[in-house]
């Protein structure tokens, strides 16, 4: 039987990034649900709204990289708990804007401290120069995502 190609999972960058992200996300979700009553998806939205308040769900989807249905479900949960307010856009009735409420801002601030401690623990073995390099590299990789996602495999003939 001929040897078929396979990934070297120790050197396949998309896999390593995904494995790291999945493990960090599930750990954050467990921590945040236990201590704050929301998961990591809701935290990402609270943190996004703390930076850019009064934006559309579509904008949240674009920045965070989640599909619209996941964003919609999380926003409904946050709205139901009183952490965000959903308001029809005055200029375009089809569009809804999302804003943090005072309760949402308070929750954000409580989770923020835990998120910063988790980041500190993640980066503890890196020097400041290494952290700066990592951030630079991640930014450069992020800038390539559109180009990567444009790729369409051909018919296998190399054309």
């Amino acid at each position: 039987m001929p040897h078929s190609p396979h990934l070297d999972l120790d050197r396949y960058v998309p896999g390593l990034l995904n494995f790291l992200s999945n493990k960090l996300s599930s750990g954050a979700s467990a921590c945040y649900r236990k201590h704050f009553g929301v998961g990591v998806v809701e935290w990402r939205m609270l943190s996004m709204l703390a930076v850019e308040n009064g934006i559309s769900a579509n904008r949240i989807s674009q920045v965070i990289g989640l599909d619209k249905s996941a964003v919609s479900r999380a926003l409904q949960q946050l709205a139901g708990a009183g952490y965000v307010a959903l308001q029809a856009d005055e200029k375009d009735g089809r569009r809804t804007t999302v804003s943090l409420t005072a309760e949402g801002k308070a929750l954000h601030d409580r989770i923020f401290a835990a998120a910063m401690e988790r980041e500190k623990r993640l980066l503890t073995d890196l020097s400041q120069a290494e952290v700066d390099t990592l951030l630079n590299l991640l930014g450069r990789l992020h800038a390539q995502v559109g180009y990567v996602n444009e790729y369409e495999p051909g018919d296998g003939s190399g054309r």
Side-chain angles (χ1 to χ4, degrees):
M1 183 171 205
H3 178 69
S4 62
H6 67 277
L7 294 174
D8 178 351
L9 295 178
D10 292 328
R11 299 199 48 82
Y12 182 59
V13 174
L16 290 169
L17 290 171
N18 199 26
F19 302 156
L20 177 63
S21 176
N22 288 344
K23 290 173 185 177
L24 287 170
S25 290
S26 65
S29 235
C31 175
Y32 301 160
R33 282 195 194 291
K34 178 179 178 181
H35 296 281
F36 307 107
V38 297
V40 72
V41 172
E42 293 80 16
W43 161 242
R44 289 175 184 156
M45 289 183 204
L46 292 171
S47 62
M48 173 78 192
L49 291 167
V51 172
E52 193 175 335
N53 205 24
I55 58 174
S56 69
N58 193 37
R59 172 78 178 140
I60 295 170
S61 293
Q62 290 171 342
V63 173
I64 295 176
L66 291 173
D67 64 79
K68 291 178 185 176
S69 61
V71 169
S72 179
R73 282 191 303 274
L75 286 177
Q76 291 304 319
Q77 179 184 347
L78 289 170
Y83 297 128
V84 299
L86 306 175
Q87 193 168 1
D89 189 312
E90 294 175 6
K91 298 174 187 166
D92 182 353
R94 299 167 296 173
R95 185 182 136 158
T96 301
T97 58
V98 185
S99 301
L100 282 177
T101 62
E103 294 84 2
K105 176 72 172 111
L107 178 62
H108 166 273
D109 294 351
R110 291 192 350 255
I111 299 173
F112 180 82
M116 292 298 95
E117 178 60 26
R118 287 177 51 83
E119 180 191 44
K120 178 179 161 190
R121 288 172 177 236
L122 177 66
L123 301 175
T124 195
D125 287 341
L126 302 179
S127 70
Q128 187 57 54
E130 289 172 321
V131 171
D132 292 343
T133 298
L134 175 62
L135 291 171
N136 177 275
L137 293 170
L138 289 171
R140 289 168 54 196
L141 290 174
H142 191 259
Q144 292 297 104
V145 169
Y147 174 66
V148 171
N149 288 342
E150 289 173 356
Y151 173 71
E152 296 280 340
D155 60 10
S157 66
R159 290 182 267 163

